[in-house]
Amino acid sequence: EVQLVESGGGLVQPGGSLRLSCVASGFTFSVYDMSWVRQAPGKGFEWVASISASGGDTSYLNSVKGRFTISRDNAKNTLYLQLNSLKTEDTAVYSCAKYWGVVAGPGDRGQGTQVTVSS
């Protein structure tokens, strides 16, 4: 059974930073491309960033380029998302998910961690 457990969310002021983590189990993490997706209040899911299985390739939503950094540690089965220069419009539940460039279904996606950007 795929398990993805996120942590690291919280309340932060505009311009602040957070580092999200996602611990994976139940599948061979090191052979899968992985992504972060988010869901803002009252909106659908939005893909944010992806990283290849080796960590050598990454891709980002235009609105987060230069502010967010996706990374992974295959030895620890852990995916990360560094969020810098946060804006109020980044407020959302952030989830990690299997696969590149898409919003995976609920069986391949974690429950998420809340990020709230507010002054």
Side-chain angles (χ1 to χ4, degrees):
E1 178 188 4
V2 172
Q3 287 201 324
L4 296 162
V5 180
E6 301 90 344
S7 62
L11 173 63
V12 62
Q13 292 185 339
S17 297
L18 286 172
R19 189 193 195 203
L20 308 183
S21 299
C22 169
V23 177
S25 61
F27 65 104
T28 307
F29 177 76
S30 61
V31 304
Y32 280 88
D33 299 337
M34 296 292 295
S35 293
W36 285 95
V37 300
R38 66 186 181 185
Q39 186 174 30
K43 297 189 177 180
F45 278 95
E46 177 181 50
W47 169 82
V48 175
S50 292
I51 188 167
S52 62
S54 67
D57 292 308
T58 58
S59 182
Y60 295 92
L61 180 70
N62 281 342
S63 62
V64 309
K65 277 182 184 177
R67 300 189 297 121
F68 292 6
T69 303
I70 189 171
S71 62
R72 66 191 296 161
D73 185 337
N74 285 343
K76 295 182 178 180
N77 283 359
T78 303
L79 182 72
Y80 303 100
L81 187 68
Q82 179 68 42
L83 294 72
N84 295 333
S85 303
L86 281 161
K87 304 176 181 180
T88 55
E89 54 262 43
D90 295 319
T91 294
V93 174
Y94 286 72
S95 302
C96 62
K98 293 170 70 176
Y99 312 125
W100 178 283
V102 296
V103 177
D108 292 315
R109 190 176 73 225
Q111 291 295 309
T113 185
Q114 176 71 49
V115 172
T116 302
V117 185
S118 175
S119 55

